[in-house]
Amino acid sequence: MKQHDIPVPLCNKCALESGSLFKHLSPDEIITINFEKDFRQYRRGDILYQEGNRISGFYCIHSGIIKVYKTGLDGKEQIIRFAKAGDYIAYRSVLSNEPACTSAKVIEDCQVCFIPSEILVSLIKTNPEYALELLKLACHELGEANSFITDIAQKTVRERLAEVLLFLVHDFGIDEQQYLKVSLTREELANIVGTATESVIRLLSEFKTDKLVELNGRKIRILNERGLEKISNVFS
Amino acid sequence: MKQHDIPVPLCNKCALESGSLFKHLSPDEIITINFEKDFRQYRRGDILYQEGNRISGFYCIHSGIIKVYKTGLDGKEQIIRFAKAGDYIAYRSVLSNEPACTSAKVIEDCQVCFIPSEILVSLIKTNPEYALELLKLACHELGEANSFITDIAQKTVRERLAEVLLFLVHDFGIDEQQYLKVSLTREELANIVGTATESVIRLLSEFKTDKLVELNGRKIRILNERGLEKISNVFS
DNA sequence: CGGTACGTTGAGTCATATCAACCATAGTGG
DNA sequence: CCACTATGGTTGATATGACTCAACGTACCG
């Protein structure tokens, strides 16, 4: 968490680039945030906060990737979502005024800004446009959670794994050679799908046999997106 | 949907009784809502709105019970939540400005007020306190959705059924004889738990054998709450 | 009286979890 | 430099939870 010579990113620039919700703020409000925020850096494996913590603010991600997860019985993680540049995390527990219901851990080294709760609350109170956007965000996430629930309850592991791969493609993109830009362990994949690590390994190698993907260690190459869509039953 | 002579409930009175979010509104705002709202009555089986619909407002429940669900492949329902007196439904799709991601169907005859989107949006813009409460609501629901996801992904059907029974106890209560106040079909129970109807039937009769519940058709009597808690693993 | 929706039970099957062994890699410390 | 350990990946064998299919009972309703 040493700062070296890395310049603290400016919210106005960052908001434009990342499309974070700060783009709805006035210049004055941006200045306040810039002043009040705390810039932090984390490396893979670091934990930003843990389930049960009372959190005194939220994080806006400037770069890197974070996984947000719940820990179930016997310590098994269930990954709820990922956060990348422009995303907020921990705002849920700030606004509902509850302890964190999730933990957040770094997947790819990241830079984040920590903004105290009071700032968020006062923005909501003085900038209705921003409040509305926050509501929109929360409601959108709620919709995604609902779909997730239905998927886990009704689809097979095979279908869900295909769907997760497609989700990762859309959320993080693929490079010129069709390689997924995020790199996750098999266990992390299992913790998104909601299954055992071994099942992910077996199914991935089936997908490989079926020429849907190519596997190079943690790097996954997407060969046949349509095929994965068919398996995942995403469209009706 | 005929109105007979039933008096339209007044929001101020209703808000106090039911504890709906309207309690955060000013007298003037209450008057506006009272004027703009549309009072409606529905009977068991009626559908308020369906997945994919564009909705032009949200519903505040005055009485009765509604199930909110998603329809998965092959038409199987996944119940996402229930709404009863004081609860809002459809506000998610109004605020995220997306088509409904769920359907809503009446479980117990109900009276609801329909409030146009514009009213909601203008309240958010003029009453920050109310906006904050709405955010709190949405964020709280998000937390519950996260728990639900983890449960479905990690717990067995047996554990989840026990948990659902406890949830129904806390959400709807039990009468003097320990009978659950909501009455659901086995299929509906299965659609909350995320399993097959037959599995619910089998497990319920196991619970009966173990003296945890008593079954009288659709009426379920809770005999041993502690036992159900133990099975459901709710506490760590 | 037949029809429809719901509940129940049994039997068979399959997907997935669990357990165990093993390999590869990288980092650590003596 | 080598043994040591930890972490992640892979594969096989086995067990079983839960689904599916099918038959049948029950109750209510027009």
Side-chain angles (χ1 to χ4, degrees):
Chain A
M1 266 195 270
K2 269 182 290 177
Q3 295 218 186
H4 305 291
D5 318 25
I6 295 113
V8 174
L10 293 170
C11 288
N12 47 359
K13 190 157 176 291
C14 174
L16 278 179
E17 285 165 7
S18 69
S20 91
L21 278 193
F22 290 154
K23 69 185 170 202
H24 298 282
L25 298 180
S26 73
D28 271 5
E29 289 166 332
I30 289 275
I31 291 171
T32 310
I33 297 231
N34 245 320
F35 181 75
E36 298 281 354
K37 79 186 183 189
D38 185 15
F39 178 64
R40 300 177 184 177
Q41 297 190 66
Y42 297 93
R43 339 206 72 188
R44 172 161 177 96
D46 288 348
I47 290 178
L48 304 216
Y49 61 84
Q50 266 181 310
E51 213 166 329
N53 289 171
R54 280 263 162 212
I55 314 184
S56 60
F58 70 105
Y59 301 81
C60 182
I61 317 302
H62 179 254
S63 66
I65 301 177
I66 289 164
K67 66 174 169 183
V68 176
Y69 61 93
K70 276 183 86 77
T71 310
L73 317 164
D74 59 356
K76 187 171 166 59
E77 286 178 10
Q78 175 62 42
I79 295 182
I80 301 291
R81 69 183 186 104
F82 292 98
K84 56 181 198 299
D87 291 339
Y88 286 178
I89 59 174
Y91 77 98
R92 194 211 67 81
S93 95
V94 166
L95 291 174
S96 67
N97 203 21
E98 296 164 345
C101 74
T102 52
S103 307
K105 197 184 232 175
V106 177
I107 295 252
E108 270 183 23
D109 295 2
C110 64
Q111 306 184 332
V112 307
C113 295
F114 178 83
I115 296 119
S117 307
E118 309 83 64
I119 306 287
L120 182 62
V121 173
S122 88
L123 281 174
I124 291 166
K125 290 192 176 166
T126 55
N127 185 338
E129 219 42 77
Y130 182 68
L132 207 48
E133 288 300 323
L134 259 180
L135 268 166
K136 199 185 254 184
L137 172 66
C139 288
H140 176 73
E141 275 193 38
L142 206 39
E144 299 205 319
N146 291 344
S147 299
F148 200 8
I149 288 168
T150 310
D151 272 5
I152 297 196
Q154 299 195 357
K155 289 187 176 178
T156 63
V157 170
R158 185 190 177 75
E159 291 171 313
R160 269 143 51 200
L161 178 61
E163 191 171 357
V164 163
L165 290 176
L166 292 171
F167 161 78
L168 293 174
V169 169
H170 291 115
D171 216 32
F172 297 103
I174 43 181
D175 64 19
E176 328 75 51
Q177 297 156 79
Q178 314 294 117
Y179 277 105
L180 256 183
K181 282 188 184 161
V182 236
S183 150
L184 301 170
T185 65
R186 305 289 133 125
E187 192 181 0
E188 281 166 338
L189 278 172
N191 293 344
I192 316 171
V193 174
T195 186
T197 309
E198 296 95 322
S199 298
V200 165
I201 291 172
R202 279 183 244 271
L203 286 167
L204 274 182
S205 80
E206 275 188 44
F207 287 176
K208 181 179 159 189
T209 308
D210 298 347
K211 306 274 182 229
L212 298 163
V213 301
E214 202 178 293
L215 304 171
N216 291 98
R218 217 164 282 183
K219 282 277 167 205
I220 297 177
R221 190 179 204 167
I222 306 296
L223 297 179
N224 182 356
E225 220 166 310
R226 302 279 308 176
L228 289 172
E229 276 171 15
K230 198 165 278 173
I231 289 176
S232 73
N233 275 320
V234 262
F235 305 117
S236 146
Chain B
M1 268 193 269
K2 268 182 290 176
Q3 296 217 186
H4 305 291
D5 319 23
I6 296 113
V8 174
L10 292 172
C11 289
N12 47 358
K13 190 154 175 295
C14 173
L16 278 179
E17 285 165 6
S18 69
S20 91
L21 280 193
F22 289 154
K23 69 186 168 200
H24 298 282
L25 297 180
S26 72
D28 272 6
E29 289 166 333
I30 289 274
I31 291 171
T32 309
I33 298 230
N34 245 321
F35 182 76
E36 297 282 353
K37 78 186 184 188
D38 186 15
F39 178 65
R40 301 177 183 177
Q41 296 190 66
Y42 297 93
R43 339 206 73 189
R44 173 161 175 94
D46 287 349
I47 290 177
L48 304 216
Y49 62 84
Q50 266 181 310
E51 213 167 328
N53 289 172
R54 281 264 163 211
I55 314 185
S56 61
F58 71 103
Y59 301 80
C60 183
I61 316 302
H62 179 254
S63 66
I65 301 176
I66 289 165
K67 64 175 170 184
V68 177
Y69 60 93
K70 277 184 85 79
T71 310
L73 318 164
D74 59 355
K76 186 170 168 58
E77 287 178 9
Q78 175 62 43
I79 296 182
I80 303 290
R81 67 183 187 106
F82 292 97
K84 57 182 196 301
D87 291 339
Y88 286 178
I89 60 174
Y91 77 98
R92 196 212 65 82
S93 96
V94 165
L95 290 174
S96 67
N97 204 20
E98 296 164 344
C101 74
T102 52
S103 307
K105 197 183 231 176
V106 177
I107 296 251
E108 270 182 25
D109 296 2
C110 64
Q111 305 184 333
V112 305
C113 295
F114 178 84
I115 296 120
S117 307
E118 308 83 65
I119 306 287
L120 182 62
V121 172
S122 88
L123 281 174
I124 292 166
K125 289 191 177 168
T126 56
N127 185 338
E129 220 42 77
Y130 182 69
L132 207 48
E133 288 300 323
L134 258 180
L135 269 166
K136 199 184 252 185
L137 172 66
C139 288
H140 176 73
E141 275 194 36
L142 205 39
E144 299 206 318
N146 291 344
S147 299
F148 200 8
I149 288 169
T150 310
D151 273 4
I152 297 195
Q154 300 194 358
K155 288 187 176 177
T156 63
V157 170
R158 184 189 179 75
E159 292 170 312
R160 268 143 52 200
L161 178 60
E163 192 170 357
V164 163
L165 291 176
L166 292 171
F167 162 77
L168 294 175
V169 169
H170 292 115
D171 217 33
F172 297 104
I174 44 181
D175 64 20
E176 328 75 51
Q177 297 156 78
Q178 314 294 115
Y179 277 105
L180 256 183
K181 282 188 183 161
V182 237
S183 148
L184 301 170
T185 65
R186 304 289 133 124
E187 192 180 1
E188 281 166 337
L189 277 172
N191 294 344
I192 315 171
V193 174
T195 188
T197 309
E198 296 94 325
S199 298
V200 166
I201 290 170
R202 278 184 245 270
L203 286 168
L204 273 183
S205 78
E206 276 187 43
F207 287 176
K208 181 179 159 189
T209 309
D210 299 345
K211 306 273 183 228
L212 297 163
V213 300
E214 202 178 294
L215 304 171
N216 291 99
R218 218 163 282 183
K219 281 280 169 201
I220 297 178
R221 189 179 205 168
I222 306 296
L223 297 179
N224 182 355
E225 219 166 311
R226 301 279 309 177
L228 290 172
E229 276 171 15
K230 198 165 276 173
I231 290 176
S232 73
N233 275 321
V234 262
F235 304 117
S236 149

